[in-house]
Amino acid sequence: MNTITRGDSLSNREAPGILESMWRFKFLVLVLVLLFGAAGFALGSRKPSDYNTSATIALVDPKSTGSADTSLTRYAAEQANVATSDEVLAIAAKKLGTTVEALQARVSSSSSITETVIGVTATASSPEAAKARVDAVVDAFTTVLAQRSAKRLSDQATALQKLIDDLNTRVAKIDPKVPNAALVANSLANASTQLLLRKADLQTEAARFGSGVAYAEAASLPTTASSTKKEAALDATVGILLGLLLGGALAWTATDRRRTADDALDAESLLGVPLLGEVPDLKGSGEAASLRDLEAMPAVAYEFVAAGLHDPGVLLVAGAERGAGTTVSALNLAVAAARAGRRVVVIDADNDAQSLTKAVGIGEGRIGLSDVAARRADLDAATTTVSLGSTSMSVIPAGNAEPDAASLFRARSMGDALTELRNRYDLVIIDCPPMATDPEAASLARHVDGLLLVVSRRTRVRILERVRQRMSVLSTPMLGYVFTRGRRVGYVGSGRQSVRSG
């Protein structure tokens, strides 16, 4: 049994960071950013134009009248809050024929930090409506401030009059026969006089303070609307940030749930077998033809793989999943062995795809591996010789379609055929379906001397774990793996090579 214990599992590693996740799913993030940004710009552009206008209100300094002893900054801030209070807005709303809620959303106030001045700003869809709102709020504020000032004066005057009345009552009740009665009466009378003077002062202060507003600068009629472009740009910026946030969250979630082998050594730590070669992404380079053209094979990367395989006898080449580059790998290794002077035969065991059969230019309907396994033909009838210029190699195509190729490949006839091929050739290479998804690979593994796994970049960790689990119950050793960095590797045969029956 092939027991794999080396290395730790990628599934136990720390999840990628947010930036790494966003880079992996950069196209998703970019699409979301563009969509949300465009939506924000469109919504901002469709907003109706608004007009803003303001009025300045200068307050009476409470210290100058003696009516209060407070910080000017705090006093101005308090009055600014009064200007947009429900009490003021209710009066303004009644005058305008609208609601308090409507004004709350369109009216604001501010205060100065150096003097007793506050500002009232209103927004509306027309210049006239904006000015009307400011004027109504200023008038309502002046009214409320005057009412509060009058009430405060009335309350204070009432309290003083009550004290005066109490003192006068006490003077009237003094018994002249009591010692010092005259002195007590005189003292109470003096206190009553002081209270009367304070009551008179309150009236003077009230006259000076008035409504509490020194003057109100009327709002002007606005002539230009607020910039729609600015609103659109702001909404677009918000949309971009939302798209970036959503894209980052989705990318992080997807990356955490879809752990992949992005580096060659990631798969090594998970599978517990050595890396025999790494095939770069040659798309667009002059070396790209060496991956798919028999006349240009083998690619340099596969020379290293071939050097690392020491007389495996019958070698099963299987991908972790489809598109990993199994056929390309099997052909490059076979050509490398043939050009090195070894007797080599490469077999197409993928009865469904038949990629290798098509790649070497063999048409449909030719006798092949399935016919040999089913004892419908012998090896000589199934074997075809493919010219490689100065040398050649033998090819056994997939053969006729079989409904249950996995059971056929487990049969004794399959083992006998591979034993015969082992005696005829120095190297037998079998291109088979993926190890993680197709049972044919496990069936063939019973008859071979070793397995070479082909792993493509970004193969999911769960796929590699499934391969490791399947190999752990087979007696066939996994000799190593090839890591392909190109995008999903398809194969299109050139049809130029010379093919003849052998």
Side-chain angles (χ1 to χ4, degrees):
M1 180 178 292
N2 183 29
T3 303
I4 301 174
T5 57
R6 179 183 173 190
D8 62 327
S9 173
L10 282 176
S11 58
N12 293 328
R13 292 186 179 181
E14 184 178 351
I18 184 66
L19 293 180
E20 181 182 351
S21 301
M22 292 175 69
W23 178 250
R24 288 188 185 183
F25 291 88
K26 52 184 174 291
F27 294 110
L28 169 65
V29 174
L30 179 61
V31 168
L32 289 175
V33 167
L34 292 177
L35 285 176
F36 276 75
F41 184 83
L43 290 175
S45 300
R46 295 178 62 182
K47 288 182 177 179
S49 299
D50 283 333
Y51 292 85
N52 298 325
T53 189
S54 301
T56 301
I57 303 173
L59 303 172
V60 176
D61 186 348
K63 290 184 177 180
S64 66
T65 64
S67 61
D69 183 13
T70 184
S71 164
L72 293 181
T73 301
R74 185 167 65 248
Y75 178 71
E78 290 173 351
Q79 300 313 309
N81 289 333
V82 172
T84 52
S85 65
D86 289 347
E87 184 180 2
V88 170
L89 295 183
I91 297 174
K94 184 177 181 180
K95 180 178 181 180
L96 295 170
T98 185
T99 63
V100 173
E101 290 74 16
L103 290 181
Q104 285 175 336
R106 309 292 272 177
V107 176
S108 62
S109 60
S110 60
S111 61
S112 171
I113 61 174
T114 58
E115 53 188 343
T116 53
V117 174
I118 65 174
V120 176
T121 301
T123 303
S125 57
S126 69
E128 294 77 12
K131 176 175 171 52
R133 284 179 176 174
V134 171
D135 291 343
V137 171
V138 171
D139 290 343
F141 171 72
T142 303
T143 299
V144 168
L145 207 61
Q147 290 174 349
R148 291 185 176 185
S149 176
K151 185 177 184 305
R152 182 175 61 253
L153 173 63
S154 175
D155 291 343
Q156 291 177 345
T158 299
L160 288 175
Q161 187 60 53
K162 185 176 183 303
L163 291 174
I164 293 171
D165 292 342
D166 289 343
L167 289 175
N168 291 335
T169 300
R170 291 176 60 185
V171 170
K173 291 181 178 181
I174 294 176
D175 186 354
K177 298 179 180 179
V178 175
N180 300 320
L183 183 61
V184 172
N186 186 52
S187 176
L188 292 175
N190 288 336
S192 178
T193 300
Q194 293 297 321
L195 290 175
L196 286 171
L197 292 175
R198 176 56 187 156
K199 186 177 179 181
D201 290 341
L202 283 178
Q203 294 175 344
T204 301
E205 292 173 8
R208 291 178 180 176
F209 191 74
S211 66
V213 174
Y215 67 87
E217 187 179 278
S220 60
L221 194 67
T223 57
T224 58
S226 60
S227 176
T228 303
K229 292 183 178 179
K230 290 183 179 180
E231 291 288 338
L234 179 61
D235 288 346
T237 302
V238 173
I240 289 172
L241 292 177
L242 288 175
L244 195 62
L245 182 63
L246 179 60
L250 291 176
W252 185 84
T253 302
T255 304
D256 187 43
R257 293 182 177 180
R258 296 179 59 186
R259 306 282 182 88
T260 58
D262 293 319
D263 186 80
L265 295 181
D266 286 342
E268 181 177 13
S269 65
L270 181 60
L271 296 171
V273 294
L275 171 67
L276 297 180
E278 185 173 353
V279 182
D281 187 357
L282 299 178
K283 185 178 181 180
S285 69
E287 299 180 47
S290 64
L291 287 179
R292 296 175 175 81
D293 190 342
L294 290 180
E295 296 178 4
M297 290 180 185
V300 175
Y302 286 104
E303 294 278 17
F304 289 101
V305 180
L309 294 172
H310 303 291
D311 299 323
V314 180
L315 177 66
L316 189 67
V317 181
E321 56 185 339
R322 286 203 178 274
T326 308
T327 299
V328 171
S329 299
L331 280 175
N332 272 269
L333 291 175
V335 173
R339 296 194 189 284
R342 303 176 71 187
R343 296 173 301 163
V344 60
V345 60
V346 59
I347 304 172
D348 189 348
D350 193 338
N351 203 248
D352 291 329
Q354 300 194 17
S355 299
L356 190 144
T357 300
K358 299 171 185 176
V360 298
I362 298 177
E364 296 181 0
R366 289 293 298 271
I367 294 173
L369 183 65
S370 61
D371 302 290
V372 173
R375 299 187 186 278
R376 291 191 297 264
D378 58 21
L379 286 173
D380 291 333
T383 303
T384 298
T385 300
V386 175
S387 175
L388 301 174
S390 59
T391 186
S392 63
M393 69 177 181
S394 298
V395 176
I396 298 178
N400 292 293
E402 287 290 337
D404 189 7
S407 297
L408 190 63
F409 290 162
R410 283 197 302 270
R412 181 175 179 180
S413 57
M414 186 75 252
D416 293 341
L418 290 178
T419 299
E420 186 175 346
L421 290 173
R422 188 183 285 109
N423 294 329
R424 289 186 184 185
Y425 296 94
D426 299 320
L427 177 62
V428 179
I429 297 178
I430 305 175
D431 174 22
C432 73
M435 175 61 68
T437 57
D438 294 57
E440 288 91 332
S443 297
L444 288 167
R446 298 162 53 92
H447 312 294
V448 303
D449 301 310
L451 179 138
L452 176 68
L453 188 69
V454 182
V455 179
S456 62
R457 182 170 177 260
R458 292 189 178 175
T459 297
R460 294 189 187 183
V461 167
R462 63 179 180 84
I463 297 293
L464 296 178
E465 290 178 334
R466 188 180 304 167
V467 171
R468 183 178 65 174
Q469 187 275 331
R470 290 194 174 184
M471 291 304 299
S472 68
V473 299
L474 297 173
S475 59
T476 305
M478 189 188 300
L479 304 179
Y481 71 97
V482 176
F483 190 79
T484 59
R485 284 193 171 273
R487 296 180 181 178
R488 294 302 184 191
V489 183
Y491 200 104
V492 179
S494 64
R496 294 177 295 154
Q497 50 272 14
S498 175
V499 181
R500 66 181 185 274
S501 298

